């Protein structure tokens, strides 16, 4: 097995001075890989040199991954304090007193005493069952309301007070939502985890988060070719076929996926690519410590941005909403199109 010296992996400093690896490993199996396949990949990734793992209760695999963490500690592969372990609060646990229940289950499943970070997975309580179809709608789905969200966030803050969580953050937040949220926080989010890749670079979001000392974590950093069918449309960009990436990859003698990884780390956001194939997740982490992109190549990729969101999140639409664009506040303000209270 090829390995990488974890100490050579670049790190990013958080607002409180804590350090986190500049690349992590995602653990969402995209409805295609079993919990056992994902957890086995996590164990081998620890052996290879990964120290940051991005998980969530909704992925349905925390119990198996917890067994892997316990095994890695007992095998002496790594100490608990050497890993940065992140999980997320699922949408059906936003209610009063639900957050503590949710994190307690996650800690039990992962066999941990604390999480390094805990994120609110989506900024509303819109729930869908695993494997939901593109037209599935939960009748209780609703748009974002700051008063409701802050009730959840205040519970998140208490987890920090209790020592159960070191850092808290958000996911899938837009700039308008953050602008409503941040002035009301006692403890501000350390992360915002959102879709970012060369075809959807989210510069406005990235720069705003940076101005607020919020680190951007990128899910689907390679364009998520294996994303659920419900999120695919015929005109979606195939990121791995973008000519700019193909040309740069050819010049470096690597797959375009590794150019996406290099670009992310050099730009300053944290990619969390997922794979169950050892050769792929080794190559992903090895890419960040060798053969960097030139300034010219970084600029070529910047100009290649297509503003093409691939993860539409259609299953979270509320009754009366027109389409997936309503979720993402594209007009610069909270979008509640079609909502009737």
């Amino acid at each position: 097995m090829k390995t990488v010296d974890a100490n050579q992996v670049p790190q990013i400093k958080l607002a409180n001075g804590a350090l986190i690896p500049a690349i992590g490993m995602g653990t969402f199996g995209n409805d295609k890989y079993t919990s056992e396949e994902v957890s086995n990949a996590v164990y081998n990734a620890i052996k290879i040199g990964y120290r940051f793992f991005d998980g969530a209760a909704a992925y349905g695999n925390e119990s198996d991954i917890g067994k892997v963490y316990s095994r890695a500690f007992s095998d002496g592969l790594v100490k608990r304090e050497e890993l940065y372990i992140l999980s997320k609060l699922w949408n059906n646990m936003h209610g009063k007193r639900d957050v503590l229940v949710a994190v307690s289950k996650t800690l039990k499943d992962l066999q941990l005493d604390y999480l390094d970070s805990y994120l609110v997975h989506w900024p509303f309580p819109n729930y869908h069952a695993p494997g939901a179809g593109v037209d599935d709608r939960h009748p209780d789905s609703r748009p974002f309301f700051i008063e409701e969200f802050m009730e959840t966030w205040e519970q998140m803050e208490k987890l920090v007070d209790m020592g159960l969580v070191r850092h808290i953050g958000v996911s899938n937040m837009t700039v308008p939502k953050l602008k409503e949220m941040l002035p009301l926080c006692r403890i501000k989010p350390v992360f915002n985890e959102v879709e970012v890749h060369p075809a959807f670079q989210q510069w406005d979001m990235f720069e705003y988060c940076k101005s607020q000392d919020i680190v951007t974590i990128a899910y689907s950093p390679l364009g998520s070719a294996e994303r659920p069918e419900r999120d695919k449309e015929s005109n979606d960009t195939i990121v791995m076929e973008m000519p700019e990436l193909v040309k740069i990859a050819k010049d470096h003698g690597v797959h375009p996926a590794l150019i996406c990884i290099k670009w992310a780390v050099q730009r300053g956001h944290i990619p969390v690519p997922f794979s169950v194939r050892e050769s792929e997740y080794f190559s992903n982490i090895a890419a960040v410590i060798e053969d960097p992109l030139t300034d010219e190549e970084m600029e070529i990729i910047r100009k290649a941005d297509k503003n093409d969101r691939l993860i539409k999140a259609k299953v979270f639409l509320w009754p009366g909403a027109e389409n997936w664009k309503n979720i993402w506040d594209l007009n610069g303000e909270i979008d509640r199109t079609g909502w009737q209270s």
Side-chain angles (χ1 to χ4, degrees), residues 25-30 33-44 59 61 64-65 68 274-276 281:
M25 183 175 185
T27 59
F28 176 43
N30 283 311
Y33 298 99
T34 67
S35 179
E36 183 178 8
E37 287 176 300
V38 175
S39 60
N40 286 340
V42 168
Y43 184 81
N44 286 330
Y59 300 165
N61 52 27
D64 281 335
I65 291 175
V68 160
F274 165 79
S275 179
V276 297
Y281 53 79

Side-chain angles (χ1 to χ4, degrees), residues 81-275:
E81 58 270 23
E82 294 174 324
L83 292 186
Y84 196 97
I85 298 173
L86 179 153
S87 185
K88 305 181 192 78
L89 175 77
W90 188 229
N91 305 3
N92 62 340
M93 298 299 287
H94 283 210
K96 293 181 179 179
R97 294 179 293 277
D98 283 348
V99 175
L100 178 58
V101 172
V103 78
S104 297
K105 184 178 189 310
T106 281
L107 288 170
K108 180 180 179 181
D109 286 345
L110 293 177
Q111 302 185 37
L112 301 174
D113 296 324
Y114 69 92
L115 290 172
D116 294 282
S117 194
Y118 197 46
L119 312 187
V120 181
H121 206 148
W122 289 87
F124 35 59
N126 303 356
Y127 172 76
H128 74 78
V134 66
D135 295 319
D136 291 345
R137 298 286 182 274
H138 194 285
D140 296 331
S141 292
R142 52 199 293 107
F144 175 87
F145 291 95
I146 188 61
E147 298 82 7
E148 293 178 355
F149 183 82
M150 289 309 298
E151 289 181 358
T152 302
W153 188 253
E154 287 167 5
Q155 295 180 69
M156 297 285 287
E157 292 173 328
K158 290 178 181 177
L159 301 182
V160 178
D161 298 337
M162 298 171 68
L164 298 176
V165 173
R166 298 284 174 85
H167 305 114
I168 50 177
V170 292
S171 181
N172 297 298
M173 286 288 270
T174 63
V175 171
K177 291 181 176 72
L178 285 170
K179 286 183 175 179
E180 285 200 359
M181 171 197 180
L182 293 179
L184 304 177
C185 295
R186 177 170 62 87
I187 301 175
K188 290 187 177 182
V190 171
F191 300 113
N192 185 22
E193 183 168 335
V194 292
E195 176 187 350
V196 184
H197 46 74
F200 189 58
Q201 299 181 23
Q202 294 228 61
W203 278 99
D204 288 346
M205 169 67 74
F206 176 73
E207 294 294 351
Y208 179 75
C209 286
K210 190 174 179 180
S211 74
Q212 301 298 315
D213 292 324
I214 298 171
V215 172
T216 298
I217 299 176
Y219 66 72
S220 301
L222 311 181
S224 193
E226 293 187 328
R227 64 190 178 279
E229 290 297 323
R230 61 177 179 259
D231 268 323
K232 293 183 179 180
E233 294 186 354
S234 60
N235 60 344
D236 286 345
T237 301
I238 302 175
V239 176
M240 294 298 102
E241 296 180 6
M242 291 173 64
E244 299 87 352
L245 294 182
V246 172
K247 170 64 166 59
I248 295 172
K250 183 178 180 180
D251 291 343
H252 285 257
V254 299
H255 192 280
L258 302 186
I259 302 303
C260 294
I261 298 296
K262 293 176 186 289
W263 169 76
V265 172
Q266 290 179 228
R267 184 201 196 205
H269 66 264
I270 302 175
V272 286
F274 165 79
S275 179

Side-chain angles (χ1 to χ4, degrees), residues 40 43 47 66-77 111:
N40 286 340
Y43 184 81
K47 293 172 70 174
K67 295 173 185 175
V68 160
Y69 289 148
S70 178
R71 178 182 164 201
F73 301 148
S74 63
D75 287 351
L77 291 182
Q111 302 185 37

